[in-house]
Structure formats: structure tokens, C-alpha cells
Amino acid sequence: MTKSDQSSDMNLLNSVWAEFLKFYAFRIPQIAYASIPAFLLLFVFQLFYVERLSAHLGPATVLEALPYLFFVSWKTIFFQLFIVAFSSYCVAVDSQYGMIRIGCTQPVSRFQYLLGKSIAIELHVILFAVVYVASLFLWVCICTGFRGLSAPTATAVVSLASRTAVFCVALSGCMVAVSVLRRSLLDALVTCCVVFACLALLTTLPMRFHLEAGLFLRYFFYPIAAVLPKDWPLPFPMQHAPLWQFVLVSFTTPAIFFIPAVLHFQFRDISE
Amino acid sequence: MLEVNALVKRFGTCTVVDGISFSVAEGEVVGFVGPNGAGKSTTMKIISGLLNANSGSVTIDGILFSDSPRAYLGRLGALIESPAFYPGLNARDHLAYLARVRGHYSDALIGNALNRVGLDSDSRKPVRKFSTGMKQRLGIAMAILHKPKLLVLDEPTNGLDPAAIVAMRDLIRQLAESGTAVLVSSHLLSEIQRVCNRVVFVKAGRVARDQKIQGDNASTVKMFVRCSNPAAALDVLTKEDFVFEVQPSEDGLMCTVSNQSVAQIGIVLVRSGLDILELSPAKGDLEHTYVSEYGSGMSEGLK
């Protein structure tokens, strides 16, 4: 075994680290870290100064106000669309500019190349989700005067961040897999949006198919359950599903997309 | 180092590479020459692991790509077709990315690669602001970053200015001297002739000819002599020790002499009372071979 063969054992970690820093060098993450709190400020302004939420809730605690801000910002799907766009961009940019020729002549197998890239993207997505929830928390704290901060509040916020991260990683995983099948940025973006719409349309399947527990976007509002009071009057789909079920669906849905993507990428000619 | 054996590649019903076989030894620079569509780039892509061959095999250091892609690609550096970049990243970012993938990141390694291609002063500039030549140089830096055992260069002189072409030639020679096997394709036959030890001519997906050539680094040089009395000149030059070979050509003489003895040709001919009408390096050996192999192409069509 030569020196280069031995060093290749570390290739997946090297690949993940190289891709992670490369995406960072694209400057999209830095822009996102600055934009997410600014973007949420619009919803803060709407809720607390236009809709006068504080007047409706009375002297609300952080945990009482947080679900409202999460709900209004989450349902606009701007954040999810950003995740979709980021994931598809990070994959398709290689084919778009021919860098896939460089990537695939490095000493990593095609599978490792794809896996390294996917993990690096997911790490960024986790950071985006954490920044998103942290920004929500920060704005709510400011607007409620840090009222009701306690250990259970912190636990609920951490739970919200974890669930949001799992949801975003699963969504991103689907989009990464779909983008692997495309060879230009525009193709990848359009296909990802179509797949996102299709996943949403699947939630309208009649109940007689008994598929609702396995449909990923039925768990769209699952993260919010971490911060909702038990007597919340409006039920969200799958809000009370067990955590393992949410995690399982969040794992299997991208895996279903990844199988054809990996098989296709493993054997395809790199002709870009 | 590189062994290509009976390689076949089909796209649908079109056979682009049809049983190509050749080899490149350690420290050897081999030119890969042929007209557009002959199968050069496709062969180079198969060697680089980007395309899957329908049949045949490629080994680097005896390693098949299918047996160990990581070991195979670990020995390879490639610049295939036009260099590829992320427009928003700078030269240093690109090299850092590749160095990290291989687990060999260091500022010195990157600085050395940038220095070798003369991009150290522009290393922080986004690649979208690079000229074609600068992009080409960065592509080469990316290919040689990890000191590969086999370097595959597809049209490396595209877009380079004359000074950069000379630098590229020197770089290829240095790499060959350090033991790197180099496979280089180019339409600039004069460059191929200068830098390569051997040329593989490809025609319709097959090796049409595999010939050794003389470069600038050879100890002998071929000269063309045209004078007032070719028969007398032939007699004079045949008797000289410094002339290794002399043959009548269409309108003069072709003689092979040592590099140091070129001026001697003129001296002995003048001393013999012959008028020299032309004494020049026999340029275009490769062009003649190329034209005889492929025809003069478009110029014939224009006639």
C-alpha cells in the first residue's frame, strides 16, 4: 500500500471538509447568516407592530409568542425555498461550470464524491436551521422583554431547532439527490421546485390510501409542536406523531431519492 | 506508467474510439495528435476516469481504474478540454479545495503551484476576471498541484501568449525530467515537436502512427540546405565528419548534424566555392507527417 493509498482512507472526511469550506467560499452562507435575522424582522414587524400580537396575548412569555412568529415565517416557505435553492445550486454548479471534471479526477470514488458533497451541504443546512431558530428566539425575546425565560423554555427552543434541522436536512437531501440527475443550474432549480410541489401534492392524497404517516410534507409543521402549548386550539397534520416516526420519514424520503441518483452518478459518463 | 490497451468507446451507434493502444513511460512526453473528432479528447477522458470505455483497459502504474479508483486517480493529474472553474472563487480557493480533498493542504504547496504557473500575484483575484491564458495556467496548476505520476494535458497551450507557451514547454520538460509521464494533445505541431519524445497520431479512433521525434533537447538537428550545385554540395557534406546523414530532397539537401555544428555547414560549402541560397532548420517534419497522414483538410476543400 502506497502513501497515497493510505491517505485515501481519510478521503471522505477530507472531501466533506473541502466541500464545506468551498461552499463557505461561495459566500452564500455568510449572506444567509446576515439575511435570515433581517428577513425575520419583517415578520416581527408585522406581528408585533402591525397585528399588535402583544395586545392580543397580553403580557406574553417568550414561549407563548414564539409559535406565532415561527408559524407566520415558516408557512411562507421562503426559508424552505432557500434551502431548496442552496442545495440544488451547490450540486449543479459543478456540472454548470465543468468543475465536475476536476472533482471526478480526484482520488475519491464517485460515491464518496457525492457523499462528501451531500454531507457538506447538510452541515450548512443545519447551521442555517440553527441560525433561523436562534434568530426567531432572539426577536421574540426582544419583543417580549425576555419574559418567562427558563430551563423548560430553553429545552423547548432546542427541541424546535433540532426538529427544524431534521426537517431541513431531509428536504435538502431530496433536493441534492434530484440535482445530481441534472446537468445545469437552471435544470436543477426547476426540477427541485417541481419535486417540492409534487411532495406537497402528495399530501392531498385521499386518506383511504393510508399513506399520510409516510408522506414527508405531512410533517411540515411538526417542528412547531415543540413549542406549542398542549391546549393549542388548531391541530396541525402529524403534530402529535411520535418523534421516531418523524425522524424515520425524514430519513427514508431522501434515501428513496438518493438510490437512483447514486446509481446514475456511479456509472454515468462525465461529459460536461 | 500508462498502458492503454484496445480501448473502444461508442456513443450510440457511433464508434469514437476504435481499439486505441499505446503506452507512456515514466519521464516520457508523448504527443497525442489528430484532427478534430479523431477521438483524442474521448481517449483522454477515458484515461482520466470521466468516461467509461465499452471495452479495453487503461492502467496507471499497473492499476486499473475499476480495481482501485482512488489509487488510480491519486497518480493522475489532468487538464481536460477547457479549464473549469467556479467564477466567484479565486485561484487560491480552487487550489485549496483540491489540496483539502487530497488531504495535503498547505500554504507552501499552493504557493509553489501558483508560482510555477506565474499566478502568485493574481491569486486573490476572482477567476471570472481572469484572461483565457490565466485560466489555462490555473488549470495546469490544478493538474500539477499534487505532483502526479501521469499528467494528461488536453490542448494546454490554448489561449496562452508566446511567453507563456515557452514557460509551459519548460514546465512540461521539468516535470518529465522529474519522472512524470506526460500525455499532451495539441494542434500546435511545432510545440509537440519541441516538447515531445514521441507522437501518437490518431485517425478515426485508431492509432495511425506512433513515431519518435527530435525535439529542441536532442543532440542533433536536421537542416535544409539549398545551394547552386546540389550534387557538389552532397559530395562535400558526405565527406564531413560532423554530418551524420545527408539526403537529397526536392530542391535541396536535408542533413543531420550535431547541434554545435550547424555553422560548419555554411563554412565548408563556401570554402568549396558553392553559393548558399538557403540554410535553415528543417521545419515542419511533423507537419509533413501530419499532412501525409490526414491530408491537408480544409485547404484541399477550398481548392
Side-chain angles (χ1 to χ4, degrees):
Chain A
M1 187 181 258
T2 66
K3 208 173 178 180
S4 66
D5 295 336
Q6 285 168 354
S7 66
S8 67
D9 294 341
M10 292 289 288
N11 271 1
L12 182 59
L13 280 179
N14 292 334
S15 198
V16 170
W17 183 232
E19 295 284 351
F20 183 86
L21 291 180
K22 182 185 79 184
F23 298 142
Y24 201 77
F26 284 165
R27 297 201 174 82
I28 298 171
Q30 295 92 316
I31 293 169
Y33 300 149
S35 303
I36 289 170
F39 162 74
L40 290 176
L41 184 60
L42 298 174
F43 295 99
V44 170
F45 186 75
Q46 183 204 343
L47 266 184
F48 288 90
Y49 296 96
V50 178
E51 306 281 350
R52 298 195 175 279
L53 183 69
S54 302
H56 291 292
L57 292 178
T61 62
V62 169
L63 206 51
E64 285 169 338
L66 187 58
Y68 290 94
L69 187 56
F70 182 89
F71 176 75
V72 294
S73 62
W74 188 250
K75 75 179 174 69
T76 58
I77 69 167
F78 279 119
F79 183 69
Q80 294 86 332
L81 285 179
F82 164 68
I83 298 293
V84 168
F86 175 77
S87 307
S88 63
Y89 177 85
C90 287
V91 175
V93 71
D94 280 10
S95 287
Q96 176 77 31
Y97 294 114
M99 273 301 283
I100 196 165
R101 292 201 300 270
I102 310 291
C104 288
T105 49
Q106 301 311 304
V108 287
S109 65
R110 295 251 180 114
F111 178 68
Q112 275 191 342
Y113 170 76
L114 197 56
L115 191 62
K117 190 179 285 294
S118 306
I119 293 171
I121 292 170
E122 305 305 2
L123 289 174
H124 276 296
V125 167
I126 289 170
L127 288 175
F128 294 148
V130 168
V131 169
Y132 176 74
V133 174
S135 305
L136 283 172
F137 181 65
L138 183 72
W139 286 127
V140 170
C141 282
I142 291 170
C143 293
T144 57
F146 296 86
R147 197 175 297 118
L149 275 182
S150 61
T153 305
T155 310
V157 171
V158 169
S159 173
L160 173 69
S162 310
R163 290 169 182 224
T164 306
V166 169
F167 181 89
C168 291
V169 164
L171 179 64
S172 167
C174 297
M175 299 309 149
V176 166
V178 167
S179 300
V180 170
L181 303 169
R182 312 301 291 166
R183 297 194 182 193
S184 77
L185 279 173
L186 187 63
D187 282 357
L189 278 169
V190 171
T191 311
C192 284
C193 289
V194 170
V195 168
F196 187 59
C198 289
L199 285 173
L201 283 173
L202 277 176
T203 62
T204 63
L205 275 176
M207 292 293 189
R208 63 189 153 90
F209 289 113
H210 301 293
L211 282 173
E212 59 273 15
L215 297 174
F216 172 58
L217 281 193
R218 295 285 282 180
Y219 297 87
F220 188 77
F221 285 111
Y222 188 81
I224 205 174
V227 285
L228 282 181
K230 289 206 169 21
D231 56 346
W232 184 259
L234 294 173
F236 293 116
M238 311 310 287
Q239 179 192 328
H240 297 297
L243 184 64
W244 67 264
Q245 192 173 303
F246 167 65
V247 173
L248 183 68
V249 172
S250 301
F251 176 78
T252 50
T253 308
I256 290 167
F257 283 95
F258 258 103
I259 291 166
V262 168
L263 289 176
H264 169 76
F265 190 68
Q266 188 76 17
F267 300 108
R268 89 167 168 94
D269 285 340
I270 307 293
S271 53
E272 292 96 324
Chain B
M1 176 59 61
L2 171 69
E3 292 284 344
V4 177
N5 188 27
L7 215 54
V8 175
K9 177 65 184 174
R10 294 185 201 94
F11 292 108
T13 55
C14 178
T15 304
V16 179
V17 177
D18 191 8
I20 281 183
S21 297
F22 65 93
S23 63
V24 184
E26 199 172 293
E28 191 179 26
V29 183
V30 173
F32 207 45
V33 171
N36 295 329
K40 302 186 301 293
S41 292
T42 304
T43 305
M44 289 179 141
K45 283 183 180 177
I46 295 170
I47 293 169
S48 305
L50 297 175
L51 299 183
N52 301 302
N54 292 92
S55 65
S57 65
V58 182
T59 60
I60 299 177
D61 248 358
I63 300 164
L64 276 169
F65 178 75
S66 53
D67 284 351
S68 175
R70 294 189 303 186
Y72 178 98
L73 294 171
R75 289 158 170 79
L76 174 81
L79 171 64
I80 303 292
E81 292 182 333
S82 55
F85 306 105
Y86 301 111
L89 300 193
N90 61 38
R92 200 167 275 277
D93 289 334
H94 282 89
L95 294 173
Y97 164 62
L98 296 181
R100 286 192 185 106
V101 167
R102 288 174 180 266
H104 299 143
Y105 177 83
S106 80
D107 281 337
L109 180 74
I110 291 166
N112 183 39
L114 288 167
N115 186 37
R116 285 189 92 167
V117 296
L119 277 178
D120 17 14
S121 58
D122 296 304
S123 66
R124 304 277 181 191
K125 202 193 273 186
V127 173
R128 65 170 171 270
K129 292 182 179 172
F130 275 20
S131 66
T132 310
M134 288 163 81
K135 285 179 184 167
Q136 197 74 14
R137 282 188 275 157
L138 177 56
I140 289 154
M142 288 160 74
I144 63 168
L145 179 70
H146 59 286
K147 302 182 180 79
K149 290 187 171 184
L150 170 69
L151 185 61
V152 176
L153 300 172
D154 191 4
E155 300 286 350
T157 49
N158 267 1
L160 295 184
D161 57 40
I165 289 176
V166 172
M168 165 72 67
R169 200 187 303 148
D170 292 341
L171 179 65
I172 291 175
R173 281 180 185 156
Q174 281 170 24
L175 290 166
E177 278 165 19
S178 66
T180 304
V182 184
L183 178 66
V184 54
S185 89
S186 176
H187 290 299
L188 293 177
L189 297 178
S190 56
E191 280 310 309
I192 291 283
Q193 185 154 8
R194 282 178 169 176
V195 82
C196 295
N197 311 109
R198 196 154 58 82
V199 179
V200 174
F201 290 85
V202 186
K203 187 177 184 180
R206 295 178 182 188
V207 173
R209 188 188 289 230
D210 188 336
Q211 90 176 39
K212 288 194 172 178
I213 57 167
Q214 281 180 337
D216 282 355
N217 51 352
S219 57
T220 61
V221 63
K222 210 170 223 181
M223 299 295 293
F224 175 73
V225 185
R226 197 154 62 88
C227 58
S228 54
N229 188 343
L234 182 64
D235 281 345
V236 170
L237 291 174
T238 307
K239 290 171 191 164
E240 295 296 332
D241 289 340
F242 66 87
V243 179
F244 301 124
E245 188 185 5
V246 57
Q247 285 179 340
S249 80
E250 209 167 300
D251 53 350
L253 301 171
M254 292 288 249
C255 52
T256 306
V257 297
S258 69
N259 268 341
Q260 291 77 29
S261 311
V262 173
Q264 291 288 319
I265 300 173
I267 294 167
V268 295
L269 290 177
V270 170
R271 278 186 189 155
S272 306
L274 296 165
D275 295 333
I276 299 171
L277 305 175
E278 186 180 344
L279 174 59
S280 59
K283 286 178 187 169
D285 279 359
L286 211 52
E287 275 113 330
H288 286 140
T289 313
Y290 188 93
V291 171
S292 71
E293 200 60 59
Y294 304 111
S296 52
M298 193 171 72
S299 60
E300 275 185 354
L302 292 172
K303 281 176 189 170

